[in-house]
Amino acid sequence: MRDWEANIRKVTPYVPGEQPKRTDVIKLNTNENPYPPSPKVAEALRQISAEPMRKYPDPEARMLVEAIAREEGVCPEQIFVGVGSDDVLAMIFLTFFNSQKPILFPDITYSFYDVWADMLRIPYEQQPLDKDFEIVARDYDKENGGVIFPNPNAPTGALLGLETIDDILSHNQDVIVVVDEAYIDFGGSTCTGLLDHYENLIVVKTFSKSRSMAGMRIGYAIAGEKLIRYLSDVKYSFNSYTMNQTAIALGTEAALDHAYFEETRQKIIATRENAKKELKKLGFSFPDSQANFLFVTHKRVPAAELFAALKEQGIYVRYFNKPRIDNYLRITIGTDEEMGRLFEFLREYL
């Protein structure tokens, strides 16, 4: 090894879901919304001019921040926006998780958490989910440097009730607690109501799932004004112009079209509940997901085998070759037609 190689920051990177080059596929592997963004987004896109692109965007993304604040029922000073929730979460790790004590998160969860911790040299401990893939609140009642977990969890889809989140917060009032609500719009209730009781709480959300804008990369955090100021200070020391002009304009329209958001959200929930029934008939079992995906296993067919067979037929789902979950597939909820084709193949294959 050369001397300079010894100082390279080496990490095992996060592996995103496959983005197939083919267009003739049923893509159920990355939890994207099967429906297009709000028609108001399309209209705003048609009206965008290239001329303003020569100027830097608003570093505060004020128009977008105000639209999100209005939708969330908080003041704009409680909103921090970034290039997808991944950007927001990475900034949170960088800003708040600087203790010598380990941060805590589940052993089966969003696999970016340990990547960021390793990259930023943050000590961490993974708390095992129970046999039903549920977070055990008592595991977080110990000394730590911070707590983070998704709700609903990924890739299981299991939901924690607000009383359990309140319990975790009550035992961790001296550290930052982050609740990653990427999928909350598909089931359960947001914990933003707890912000009035816990000044150390940060709630993170995204436009990628329920607002059909994964390709635009918009995420945000909701917290007390002090925490948002700390986040902004780090952001401006790192990259002042994270949100581009197009994302700000289109994200604003998406945030303000609540009726369309509600319409597509309810469609996905209805399709998910029907999928649970169909998959149970086929012998699959799974946690009771409240997200826009199901985490399924079959008593007879190994997940790796089924993953390969589905892919050969142009049906993409997600397979994780990891301990405890290597016999499960994560299936994103598509349209009724897409799910129907999935069920048709599974009936024949099984």
Side-chain angles (χ1 to χ4, degrees), residues 41-71:
V41 171
E43 179 59 31
L45 186 59
R46 286 191 289 269
Q47 296 178 12
I48 288 177
S49 167
E51 194 279 332
M53 301 301 170
R54 64 185 177 82
K55 298 180 180 179
Y56 285 111
D58 173 12
E60 295 183 352
R62 190 69 183 183
M63 183 169 66
L64 174 60
V65 165
E66 289 180 350
I68 293 172
R70 193 176 312 150
E71 177 72 0

Side-chain angles (χ1 to χ4, degrees), residues 209-250:
K209 316 302 180 186
S210 56
R211 295 193 184 272
S212 307
M213 296 187 75
M216 203 76 256
R217 311 308 299 127
I218 301 172
Y220 61 99
I222 315 170
E225 294 182 30
K226 181 187 290 187
L227 297 189
I228 296 300
R229 284 198 301 272
Y230 287 140
L231 270 176
S232 297
D233 287 346
V234 171
K235 168 193 166 181
Y236 292 137
S237 303
F238 188 75
N239 182 356
S240 299
Y241 302 101
T242 56
M243 301 295 297
N244 66 65
Q245 291 183 0
T246 303
I248 292 170
L250 303 188

Side-chain angles (χ1 to χ4, degrees), residues 157-230:
L159 179 77
L160 280 184
L162 289 179
E163 66 284 351
T164 304
I165 296 175
D166 187 283
D167 183 43
I168 292 172
L169 281 159
S170 70
H171 287 87
N172 289 280
Q173 297 189 51
D174 294 327
V175 297
I176 296 297
V177 177
V178 184
V179 182
D180 182 353
E181 292 191 341
Y183 302 102
I184 196 63
D185 294 326
F186 302 110
S189 301
T190 177
C191 67
T192 53
L194 297 174
L195 289 167
D196 292 335
H197 305 285
Y198 298 101
E199 63 178 6
N200 60 320
L201 171 63
I202 303 176
V203 182
V204 178
K205 299 190 180 187
T206 179
F207 279 46
S208 296
K209 316 302 180 186
S210 56
R211 295 193 184 272
S212 307
M213 296 187 75
M216 203 76 256
R217 311 308 299 127
I218 301 172
Y220 61 99
I222 315 170
E225 294 182 30
K226 181 187 290 187
L227 297 189
I228 296 300
R229 284 198 301 272
Y230 287 140

Side-chain angles (χ1 to χ4, degrees), residues 12-81:
T12 302
Y14 170 77
V15 180
E18 184 176 357
Q19 297 291 340
K21 302 298 185 289
R22 297 169 52 188
T23 57
D24 59 332
V25 301
I26 297 175
K27 192 170 181 298
L28 307 176
N29 67 327
T30 51
N31 297 344
E32 295 148 328
N33 196 311
Y35 302 106
S38 160
K40 294 182 179 179
V41 171
E43 179 59 31
L45 186 59
R46 286 191 289 269
Q47 296 178 12
I48 288 177
S49 167
E51 194 279 332
M53 301 301 170
R54 64 185 177 82
K55 298 180 180 179
Y56 285 111
D58 173 12
E60 295 183 352
R62 190 69 183 183
M63 183 169 66
L64 174 60
V65 165
E66 289 180 350
I68 293 172
R70 193 176 312 150
E71 177 72 0
E72 293 287 353
V74 298
C75 67
E77 289 71 28
Q78 290 181 262
I79 301 294
F80 175 89
V81 295

